[in-house]
Amino acid sequence: MKTVGRILFLSLMIAPAAVGQRLGTDVLPNHYELRFNPDLEKATFAGHEQIDVDLKKSTSSITLHAADLTVSRATVLQGKTRHPATVTFKPRSETMTLHLKRPLRPGAATIGLDFKGTLNDSLRGLYLAKVGSRRYATTQFEPTDARRAFPSFDEPDMKATFDISVVTDRRTSVISNSRVQSDEPEKTSSKHVVTFERTPKMSTYLVAVAVGEFECSSGSMDGTPIRVCTTPGKKQLTSFALEAAESFLHYYNGYFSTPYPYGKLDLVGIPDFEAGAMENVGAIFYRESALLLDEPHASLRAREDVAETIAHEMAHMWFGDLVTTNWWNDLWLNEGFATWMSSKPVEAWKPEWKVELGDQESIEKAFNVDVLKSTRPIRARADTYDEINEMFDAITYDKGGAVIRMIENFVGPEAFRAGVNRYLTEHAYGNASAEDFWNTIEKVSGKPVSSIMKSFVDQPGVPLLSAVPRCQDQTGSLELTQRRFFANPTLLAQPSDQQWTLPVCLRSGAAAGTGPCVVMSSRQQKLPIACDEVPFLNMNGGGYYVTEYPAPVVQRLAARISTLTPEERMTLVRDEWMLVQAGRAHVGEFLDLAASFRQEHEPAVFDEVAGKLAFIANNLVAGPDRDAFRARIRALFAPLAGELGWQAKPEEGDRTRALRASVIATLADTGRDPETLTRARSTLRAFVANPSSGDPTLAESLFGVAPIGAGPDLFDFYVQGLRQARSPDERDNFLYALIRFTDPALLQRALDFAISAEVPTQDSANLIARAFRNADSREVAWQWLESHWDAVRRKTSTESGTNLVAGTGSLCSSETAGDVKRFFAAHPVAASTAALARAEERIRTCVALREAQAPSLRAWLTKDQMTTR
Ligand code: BES
Ligand code: ZN
């Protein structure tokens, strides 16, 4: 068994040659009848299927997708004639061809196949997931792995209906896309046959089956039954997800003019799962930590993440599932839309969380890739397995989401919603292109949406909008200039003729409310403003661009910081940081701006500032400067920390608790405050001993900082803790903090642990990738990786492999840039070409930034403390 898994696995990790895998369009499927017979003990499965197809032409061969399957019987039935077929496979293009002696006529035919496969351990196709002694057969098909479970026309626009049934032991249950139609004992065995109702027309990548012992809690909304299912023993962790799903279904039924189209909705926690979650029609699958929670003992972040993941996947039921993009090059429309949409129902459910501020973090994730030369346009060619998998990046999700949000701001939420609904109605149960989407929004809103969209979707990069206010003869004006922004000063200095059709909305003066929006469609534009005005050029952070102001204007904005919305404050900090990277501002100026946030009470804004300070501590300061910097941080935030204290007050809201957690973590980590670190450890131990005694939001931060400078005692305490964890989320808190130990010997232990049998494949490489983030661990982690590669690779799935390569982008040293490149050239990781190029560019950008900003940083560190107070 093990050897089979290993061989299979190696074939996944070695990047396959770039072979196009598209099928022709002469044979199209209408309906699949599928029966699976998994053997969980032997880790194999048998399948039988009948596919009703339409032949456009006469043909004596039919090609469809199949990978790692064997076929024992193949026939094609046409009219009353059953044609036996011989089968050939092309593994490199993941196809198989049925060859017939006599040609088939154009028209209807039915393919009949018996096949067999392995329940693999690489988390894709129909795979084996284990927890304790329990075994599960479960699916993950997006983007192109349905073909590993059944021969199929595995392309998103080859939609068909499905009749699915599964034969399995009587004590095992089965979950699939639709409601159970019948569940009958098999007469000759100890098995039962579970048959599901016919699905509506849908894409193969959205088919799902989960076989094994599950426990479910049930609810409903607007007539749709909803269940949250998990492996036995965790049912008490399902109530939060169930309540969220009910609330969101109602929200979406109100937002969309089409009510939920799939009859029932299951949310299933799978014990080993590569992605966070997957939007299978009517049966959304999750990694356990993205679904299950012990609500009273879960941090705000954990609750928000679970809620947003559920909201994201449920948005796909309409956008992605009901209407699917024609091909993977437009994946951004599915994922960008779901990313954009996910904060809405959560905002309606828990307004006090202000999850909409997370949209700014999403923009920043996109910027971090899109300011590089190695970025790509949102829409890009993607034909091979690797190319398609590489599409699941921050450009698809975060830039896609940001651009959709920008359009919604520009046309207004009601016009946008009307356009969305018209698009969904026109293409329901079918496919569409991005043009279909934006042309509909343009038609409904009457605004120039398509030219804006085209300029953002087909061009790479972030626009830089430079704004210079002028005043002449009492007449004020604002001169705007746009060009492409790069984080690298040399690239930014080169002439660029790239420009966008850019909606710019400005908030003028101190007054809240809407300022004018203009569409900038040339390189330069002048706007009339009052002479004494200090306009903010990205109202509510709704636009996808970096704004550059002259230094005195930044100072005046900093002086009226409290008149900006939280989104605008985040935007200002982010943009100023971008300009530091690009050499257009000094880090000293940035730090002065950061200092004006020392009394910031909005946790998302505080985190925005704190994140940059942590980056500086990790990458830009060294030796005695680092200590001086840490001392500055302590002095800066001590008053806020003092005000908040360690103890949550009963009447306090979640966001105040989140602020306390962030401030304490900043003092402990970036400030390395000894007192805070000591107290962090004792508070955390007390919390673990009795979770009801403390604040889970604070505890979550403490998990990450308590290991700093700690010894083997605490390490053992963490390993014990994760073994006994009461929820997947608590387990993650222990697990992912293991790489925060700063003692190199403990770090080694943490890394060895990451590839041990105790850590499931879903977490191994992700855990290692985290160790690259911190200055204390990254060198050790990189050397360890080089010497443990074979073992690491055995526990790496496609997505986590890409994450691992991407993670090396935090290794801010010039020698390592070369090492990383050489190492992954010799040890290629699937779907990571772009991730590697970006990692290398990030390392070099970071090194150049450190050199360029050293004088400014030193000057700031040595200048009189009082001026930063
Ligand atoms: N469709 C994706 C799942 C997916 C990701 C499949 C990558 C294949 C490859 C799903 O809708 C998704 O986006 N999941 C996110 C979570 C979400 C909250 C951003 C994920 O898995 O990270
Ligand atoms: Zn998604």
Side-chain angles (χ1 to χ4, degrees):
M1 208 309 281
K2 221 171 192 152
T3 347
V4 174
R6 204 160 287 181
I7 291 169
L8 215 129
F9 186 69
L10 287 180
S11 70
L12 303 180
M13 289 297 296
I14 297 167
V19 176
Q21 300 159 339
R22 301 290 305 256
L23 302 175
T25 51
D26 287 345
V27 185
L28 291 176
N30 284 317
H31 176 67
Y32 292 76
E33 213 175 292
L34 265 175
R35 171 162 299 196
F36 292 106
N37 200 330
D39 185 329
L40 299 179
E41 287 316 309
K42 294 206 185 97
T44 58
F45 64 93
H48 171 77
E49 72 179 325
Q50 297 202 129
I51 315 174
D52 297 338
V53 296
D54 247 338
L55 306 175
K56 297 266 155 12
K57 292 184 188 151
S58 169
T59 179
S60 52
S61 72
I62 296 176
T63 297
L64 59 167
H65 286 113
D68 294 336
L69 297 173
T70 57
V71 172
S72 56
R73 188 190 63 94
T75 60
V76 180
L77 180 68
Q78 190 164 50
K80 295 221 162 66
T81 319
R82 189 173 297 276
H83 303 256
T86 54
V87 182
T88 56
F89 290 91
K90 270 203 197 151
R92 267 163 51 96
S93 59
E94 301 184 332
T95 56
M96 63 180 243
T97 302
L98 308 179
H99 306 270
L100 302 137
K101 290 227 176 68
R102 259 167 283 132
L104 301 161
R105 302 183 302 277
T110 300
I111 301 168
L113 297 167
D114 289 344
F115 54 93
K116 283 197 165 64
T118 309
L119 297 174
N120 69 71
D121 59 359
S122 50
L123 312 187
R124 60 187 188 127
L126 181 57
Y127 69 92
L128 187 72
K130 291 185 239 174
V131 54
S133 57
R134 291 201 176 84
R135 294 175 154 229
Y136 294 83
T138 183
T139 55
Q140 169 56 38
F141 290 166
E142 191 183 15
T144 60
D145 290 322
R147 64 192 66 169
R148 286 171 201 284
F150 59 101
S152 46
F153 296 84
D154 193 14
E155 300 192 2
D157 67 347
M158 298 192 173
K159 287 195 172 184
T161 53
F162 290 82
D163 286 339
I164 296 173
S165 61
V166 176
V167 185
T168 180
D169 287 350
R170 282 186 202 169
R171 67 189 158 82
T172 26
S173 46
V174 189
I175 297 169
S176 185
N177 305 99
S178 50
R179 282 187 293 231
V180 173
Q181 186 173 61
S182 66
D183 183 346
E184 286 164 354
E186 219 187 32
K187 294 188 186 73
T188 53
S189 72
S190 61
K191 299 191 167 190
H192 66 151
V193 185
V194 185
T195 305
F196 295 89
E197 288 177 0
R198 179 163 301 186
T199 70
K201 271 196 163 230
M202 57 184 275
S203 306
T204 45
Y205 80 89
L206 295 166
V207 170
V209 177
V211 184
E213 280 183 72
F214 287 104
E215 286 177 2
C216 307
S217 58
S218 308
S220 73
M221 179 51 70
D222 301 341
T224 301
I226 305 178
R227 298 188 304 171
V228 179
C229 301
T230 152
T231 62
K234 294 180 185 144
K235 201 173 156 185
Q236 73 282 7
L237 305 175
T238 55
S239 50
F240 178 82
L242 184 60
E243 196 194 314
E246 288 174 338
S247 166
F248 302 165
L249 193 67
H250 187 64
Y251 181 91
Y252 287 145
N253 280 338
Y255 187 94
F256 296 116
S257 52
T258 317
Y260 178 74
Y262 297 120
K264 63 93 179 166
L265 176 62
D266 290 327
L267 288 70
V268 188
I270 306 283
D272 203 357
F273 194 76
E274 174 172 30
M278 175 65 211
E279 70 270 26
N280 309 307
V281 160
I284 306 175
F285 289 0
Y286 295 80
R287 69 166 53 208
E288 290 186 340
S289 59
L291 181 70
L292 307 175
L293 283 188
D294 179 17
E295 193 178 352
H297 301 137
S299 69
L300 175 60
R301 191 222 32 94
R303 283 173 280 146
E304 284 174 349
D305 282 4
V306 167
E308 285 216 64
T309 306
I310 294 173
H312 175 111
E313 305 309 333
M314 286 177 67
H316 276 311
M317 294 298 118
W318 286 263
F319 227 93
D321 291 12
L322 182 63
V323 178
T324 311
T325 44
N326 292 318
W327 184 248
W328 301 107
N329 63 340
D330 265 336
L331 176 68
W332 73 275
L333 192 56
N334 284 358
E335 295 300 352
F337 189 93
T339 301
W340 158 79
M341 182 120 217
S342 65
S343 54
K344 287 187 184 273
V346 186
E347 207 182 321
W349 186 45
K350 303 277 184 192
E352 69 278 11
W353 290 354
K354 284 193 181 268
V355 288
E356 63 277 16
L357 297 181
D359 296 346
Q360 295 302 318
E361 289 160 28
S362 174
I363 293 179
E364 181 152 344
K365 273 199 223 155
F367 275 15
N368 285 339
V369 174
D370 216 18
V371 299
L372 302 175
K373 192 166 185 233
S374 51
T375 186
R376 62 170 178 90
I378 290 182
R379 178 155 58 190
R381 223 191 95 157
D383 292 327
T384 65
Y385 173 79
D386 275 18
E387 286 164 355
I388 295 168
N389 273 286
E390 288 207 43
M391 296 294 280
F392 292 85
D393 66 359
I395 297 301
T396 286
Y397 280 79
D398 300 295
K399 187 175 183 182
V403 168
I404 289 171
R405 197 173 303 117
M406 182 161 72
I407 294 298
E408 186 199 26
N409 285 335
F410 175 63
V411 303
E414 274 317 310
F416 188 79
R417 176 177 163 204
V420 166
N421 278 318
R422 187 188 293 187
Y423 164 86
L424 289 175
T425 312
E426 278 172 8
H427 303 281
Y429 302 104
N431 295 78
S433 68
E435 276 75 7
D436 293 327
F437 177 70
W438 68 57
N439 289 338
T440 309
I441 308 281
E442 174 157 309
K443 228 182 289 160
V444 171
S445 69
K447 293 197 169 163
V449 171
S450 61
S451 54
I452 298 172
M453 284 304 263
K454 259 187 235 149
S455 79
F456 277 90
V457 168
D458 291 325
Q459 300 192 87
V462 181
L464 171 64
L465 182 68
S466 304
V468 182
R470 300 206 187 275
C471 184
Q472 226 171 19
D473 307 329
Q474 316 277 304
T475 314
S477 66
L478 192 64
E479 271 178 33
L480 302 178
T481 314
Q482 59 156 314
R483 51 159 298 139
R484 178 166 172 190
F485 179 81
F486 285 104
N488 176 329
T490 318
L491 291 174
L492 187 54
Q494 284 165 8
S496 135
D497 54 8
Q498 198 173 318
Q499 65 186 50
W500 286 260
T501 305
L502 189 64
V504 177
C505 303
L506 80 174
R507 179 197 295 291
S508 45
T514 52
C517 293
V518 293
V519 178
M520 203 176 160
S521 47
S522 55
R523 176 177 297 281
Q524 277 181 322
Q525 196 157 325
K526 228 183 204 174
L527 296 182
I529 56 163
C531 257
D532 56 354
E533 232 179 279
V534 182
F536 185 79
L537 271 127
N538 192 346
M539 194 172 57
N540 248 345
Y544 189 82
Y545 47 86
V546 171
T547 313
E548 176 179 46
Y549 307 94
V553 176
V554 176
Q555 281 156 18
R556 288 178 66 188
L557 284 171
R560 70 167 179 93
I561 206 83
S562 58
T563 65
L564 301 180
T565 65
E567 282 92 343
E568 290 165 350
R569 302 204 288 281
M570 294 173 85
T571 304
L572 181 64
V573 173
R574 181 178 71 225
D575 287 355
E576 285 307 302
W577 178 249
M578 290 295 150
L579 294 166
V580 171
Q581 290 194 53
R584 305 274 277 220
H586 293 300
V587 73
E589 292 165 307
F590 176 82
L591 287 165
D592 285 342
L593 176 67
S596 67
F597 287 84
R598 64 193 173 281
Q599 278 300 327
E600 175 63 56
H601 278 68
E602 189 60 58
V605 184
F606 181 88
D607 287 346
E608 176 69 38
V609 178
K612 305 298 166 290
L613 299 175
F615 181 91
I616 293 170
N618 263 315
N619 299 294
L620 304 191
V621 288
D625 280 355
R626 186 178 278 166
D627 294 336
F629 183 73
R630 295 198 189 292
R632 281 302 185 91
I633 297 300
R634 294 198 292 272
L636 197 56
F637 295 117
L640 184 54
E643 174 201 319
L644 293 162
W646 281 74
Q647 200 62 46
K649 295 157 198 74
E651 71 283 3
E652 244 173 35
D654 270 318
R655 284 200 347 282
T656 305
R657 292 166 191 232
L659 179 69
R660 173 181 302 109
S662 292
V663 173
I664 288 177
T666 299
L667 281 182
D669 188 359
T670 312
R672 293 290 151 100
D673 181 46
E675 227 171 277
T676 308
L677 283 167
T678 309
R679 184 141 185 205
R681 288 195 269 276
S682 57
T683 309
L684 181 66
R685 280 183 186 265
F687 177 83
V688 173
N690 178 11
S692 310
S693 70
D695 166 21
T697 297
L698 175 61
E700 183 183 75
S701 282
L702 302 183
F703 272 105
V705 296
I708 296 172
D713 263 14
L714 193 71
F715 191 93
D716 294 338
F717 177 77
Y718 272 46
V719 173
Q720 246 347 289
L722 77 90
R723 287 181 181 146
Q724 293 163 359
R726 283 159 284 225
S727 68
D729 150 61
E730 192 191 9
R731 187 187 154 279
D732 276 11
N733 282 338
F734 280 116
L735 178 69
Y736 282 93
L738 289 180
I739 51 83
R740 295 303 316 270
F741 282 85
T742 49
D743 174 347
L746 296 177
L747 262 172
Q748 298 274 359
R749 273 180 69 189
L751 294 160
D752 291 342
F753 187 77
I755 50 171
S756 72
E758 271 191 79
V759 177
T761 309
Q762 66 174 16
D763 295 312
S764 278
N766 291 331
L767 179 55
I768 298 162
R770 290 257 186 126
F772 298 142
R773 283 194 200 164
N774 301 298
D776 300 301
S777 54
R778 58 186 165 216
E779 297 302 329
V780 175
W782 175 246
Q783 281 171 18
W784 178 93
L785 183 75
E786 285 182 304
S787 54
H788 291 77
W789 179 246
D790 287 340
V792 171
R793 154 163 139 157
R794 243 172 271 137
K795 288 200 72 162
T796 306
S797 61
T798 306
E799 189 179 317
S800 65
T802 309
N803 294 346
L804 187 66
V805 174
T808 61
S810 310
L811 296 164
C812 187
S813 97
S814 49
E815 308 83 62
T816 328
D819 286 354
V820 166
K821 192 176 177 181
R822 272 189 300 278
F823 183 80
F824 288 118
H827 306 95
V829 176
S832 298
T833 311
L836 181 56
R838 290 170 194 169
E840 201 202 337
E841 192 179 347
R842 274 183 61 206
I843 300 174
R844 296 198 190 283
T845 307
C846 180
V847 172
L849 177 67
R850 177 164 57 225
E851 281 163 19
Q853 295 293 344
S856 168
L857 191 56
R858 174 119 345 120
W860 189 81
L861 286 173
T862 47
K863 90 176 166 183
D864 178 11
Q865 286 238 15
M866 292 316 288
T867 58
T868 62
R869 286 281 173 89

